[in-house]
Amino acid sequence: MIKILVVDDEPQIARALRINLSAHGYEVATAPDGAQALRAAAALVPDLVVLDLGLPDMDGTEVIAGLRGWTSVPILVLSGRAASAEKIAALDAGADDYVTKPFDIGELLARVRAATRRGNAAGDSPVTEIGSATVDLATREVLRDGAEVRLTKTEWQLLEVLLRNPGKLVGQRELLHRVWGPNYDRETNYLRQYMAQLRRKLEPDPARPVHLLTEPGMGYRFRP
Amino acid sequence: MIKILVVDDEPQIARALRINLSAHGYEVATAPDGAQALRAAAALVPDLVVLDLGLPDMDGTEVIAGLRGWTSVPILVLSGRAASAEKIAALDAGADDYVTKPFDIGELLARVRAATRRGNAAGDSPVTEIGSATVDLATREVLRDGAEVRLTKTEWQLLEVLLRNPGKLVGQRELLHRVWGPNYDRETNYLRQYMAQLRRKLEPDPARPVHLLTEPGMGYRFRP
DNA sequence: ACCGAGTGATCAAGATCCTGGTCGTCGACG
DNA sequence: CGTCGACGACCAGGATCTTGATCACTCGGT
């Protein structure tokens, strides 16, 4: 079942979307503001986010950036503002589509189909092999030698950023920014702490990592 | 370079799109009707198709179906008709986005960026050849004769400045500014030190550099 | 042809920074 | 009240950066 997270502060619209989407076979969750949206997205790992830009607590692009930090889930933006600058800002922040209110529900559903179709067609298998461990980013499960390994929320966020950039070096500034937020740029000790935990849980020999590598002075890298 | 195929039977619009897109660094090809569009797509394998629905020879959805038969290239539909039924038909036929004319060129470019960003996510990175070594600035990797070469942070910064100005002379003042900051204008010995290290790690014969050249009294130059 | 100044290359240390590992505290949650 | 995860501090070992010294080369001037 395809999971959709609807983010809107107006109860009527949220309700209407929920009814229409679930009538077409989607599993729907809703969040009334940006903070709860980010939490819900982390908890549910939806297949699509429908995001209203007029949220009370955060700017729309901030929500998009918060999501894009750790997931490439399709984001479909709803907005009352039709100005091109608004659209460009949202799209460049990482949104996949932009629909202005009032919108035709049939068109919205078609755009939802287009966005979810892409996600499925992209077909990048969400499971990643790390030595003897298997990481499934979609279901948030780690199996190692048949046994399940538990990761905490922070560990997941850190691991996901690395796994979504296979082979690529991710700077420590960027990692801190994406996992802990913009105010933790200097706390590199967090990184060391959690990288060590991830290595203990995933690497065959945590003292000699093969997949979760350190690039001294620069950042970390996941090698498949 | 990202290749875009523009399909439009109106020469003015095709011309305007070509100019705008190539001004933003895309490689543009055009086709005036559906049949030629399908042939061009098969020959060029573009990274994005911008498709006007009002073609003389085929219905727009037929063109989309013809493309979708063998490729999952992103398709961005342009159309003068704003009716929801049209949009739904095009999107369900396999289009990724639908923009109604008249459109804002900035918005179109943003949607182009959004569409290509998705495809390029699993993309390839630009690599530079230095003798027998290959340098990948995106992933921060250097391979030499199949073996991996480790560069330190400062070595990367210095090398990146040179590689981003291929063939161009970069003054020592400028290099020092970019790598060490504004307060190191006179420390040219740093440059010598690290240039020597880079040559040792990258040049076939470090004593006789072929790609990382010294311009006495002025600066350094990377020759591809 | 000789010399000295200026510049660049190379070598060899200390100083400094970074990392990994460990420990202890705090707050949330059951 | 007990447990777990997040947070913060510390230390030792090692890699990196910085600095100084030495030598080779070029280029004017004598």
Side-chain angles (χ1 to χ4, degrees):
Chain A
M1 177 107 76
I2 297 178
K3 276 183 290 188
I4 299 183
L5 174 61
V6 174
V7 187
D8 203 313
D9 60 322
E10 299 164 77
Q12 307 101 322
I13 297 190
R15 214 175 86 86
L17 286 174
R18 171 192 282 280
I19 291 173
N20 271 291
L21 288 170
S22 35
H24 285 78
Y26 299 104
E27 184 182 338
V28 181
T30 60
D33 59 48
Q36 293 188 48
L38 292 177
R39 264 201 301 280
L44 301 172
V45 193
D47 302 292
L48 172 70
V49 175
V50 176
L51 174 65
D52 191 316
L53 281 196
L55 295 178
D57 62 335
M58 306 171 71
D59 186 58
T61 56
E62 289 178 51
V63 182
I64 296 173
L67 287 169
R68 279 288 170 266
W70 59 274
T71 179
S72 60
V73 59
I75 300 177
L76 198 160
V77 166
L78 293 179
S79 170
R81 277 170 280 187
S84 292
E86 293 273 342
K87 299 188 188 179
I88 294 169
L91 290 168
D92 280 340
D96 290 80
D97 205 343
Y98 190 106
V99 178
T100 54
K101 293 188 281 192
F103 53 85
D104 179 89
I105 187 66
E107 177 188 342
L108 183 75
L109 287 168
R111 287 189 184 270
V112 166
R113 282 192 293 274
T116 53
R117 161 165 25 98
R118 262 195 307 272
N120 290 341
D124 49 340
S125 88
V127 305
T128 311
E129 305 273 341
I130 300 185
S132 57
T134 310
V135 180
D136 190 328
L137 287 177
T139 64
R140 300 257 159 157
E141 269 182 342
V142 178
L143 290 177
R144 182 172 184 179
D145 304 325
E148 184 171 344
V149 178
R150 265 181 50 79
L151 297 188
T152 73
K153 190 176 151 191
T154 333
E155 288 166 357
W156 268 115
Q157 292 182 17
L158 181 57
L159 183 63
E160 183 152 10
V161 175
L162 289 170
L163 261 52
R164 290 220 184 268
N165 302 70
K168 219 161 86 192
L169 171 76
V170 188
Q172 19 193 23
R173 201 73 43 90
E174 190 179 345
L175 283 170
L176 287 165
H177 203 282
R178 290 199 176 181
V179 177
W180 282 272
N183 301 345
Y184 291 76
D185 279 3
R186 309 266 166 223
E187 315 285 351
T188 59
N189 44 326
Y190 293 7
L191 280 181
R192 296 199 283 275
Q193 175 90 351
Y194 282 92
M195 284 302 301
Q197 291 183 21
L198 283 177
R199 290 205 255 246
R200 270 198 291 276
K201 293 184 178 181
L202 299 176
E203 285 276 2
D205 181 358
R208 312 184 45 155
V210 189
H211 298 99
L212 302 172
L213 306 177
T214 303
E215 300 285 344
M218 313 178 64
Y220 293 84
R221 177 201 308 273
F222 163 65
R223 162 163 323 169
Chain B
M1 176 108 75
I2 297 177
K3 276 183 291 188
I4 299 183
L5 174 61
V6 174
V7 187
D8 203 313
D9 61 321
E10 298 165 77
Q12 308 99 323
I13 297 191
R15 214 176 85 85
L17 286 174
R18 172 192 281 281
I19 291 173
N20 271 292
L21 288 171
S22 37
H24 284 79
Y26 299 104
E27 185 181 337
V28 182
T30 59
D33 58 48
Q36 293 188 49
L38 291 176
R39 263 201 304 281
L44 301 172
V45 193
D47 303 293
L48 172 71
V49 175
V50 177
L51 174 65
D52 191 314
L53 280 196
L55 296 179
D57 61 335
M58 306 170 69
D59 186 59
T61 55
E62 289 177 51
V63 183
I64 297 173
L67 288 168
R68 280 288 171 266
W70 61 275
T71 178
S72 61
V73 58
I75 301 177
L76 198 160
V77 166
L78 292 179
S79 170
R81 277 170 281 188
S84 293
E86 293 274 343
K87 298 188 189 180
I88 295 169
L91 290 168
D92 280 340
D96 290 81
D97 204 345
Y98 191 106
V99 179
T100 55
K101 295 188 280 191
F103 53 84
D104 180 89
I105 185 65
E107 177 188 342
L108 182 75
L109 286 168
R111 289 190 183 271
V112 166
R113 282 192 292 275
T116 53
R117 163 166 19 100
R118 275 191 298 271
N120 221 3
D124 35 339
S125 39
V127 297
T128 312
E129 306 269 343
I130 300 185
S132 58
T134 61
V135 180
D136 190 328
L137 286 177
T139 66
R140 291 285 156 104
E141 260 182 338
V142 178
L143 290 176
R144 183 173 182 180
D145 304 324
E148 185 173 340
V149 179
R150 275 181 46 82
L151 298 190
T152 72
K153 185 178 153 190
T154 14
E155 287 166 358
W156 270 114
Q157 292 180 14
L158 182 57
L159 182 63
E160 181 156 11
V161 176
L162 290 170
L163 260 54
R164 289 213 186 278
N165 301 72
K168 226 164 73 185
L169 171 74
V170 188
Q172 355 193 4
R173 202 73 45 89
E174 189 180 346
L175 284 171
L176 288 165
H177 261 265
R178 292 217 194 167
V179 178
W180 282 273
N183 300 345
Y184 290 75
D185 278 4
R186 309 268 167 228
E187 316 283 351
T188 59
N189 44 324
Y190 289 9
L191 283 181
R192 291 187 217 115
Q193 174 82 305
Y194 281 93
M195 285 304 299
Q197 291 183 21
L198 282 177
R199 292 205 254 247
R200 269 200 293 275
K201 293 183 178 181
L202 299 176
E203 286 277 3
D205 181 359
R208 281 181 204 71
V210 188
H211 298 99
L212 302 172
L213 307 177
T214 304
E215 300 286 345
M218 317 192 66
Y220 293 84
R221 175 200 310 274
F222 162 65
R223 166 161 19 176

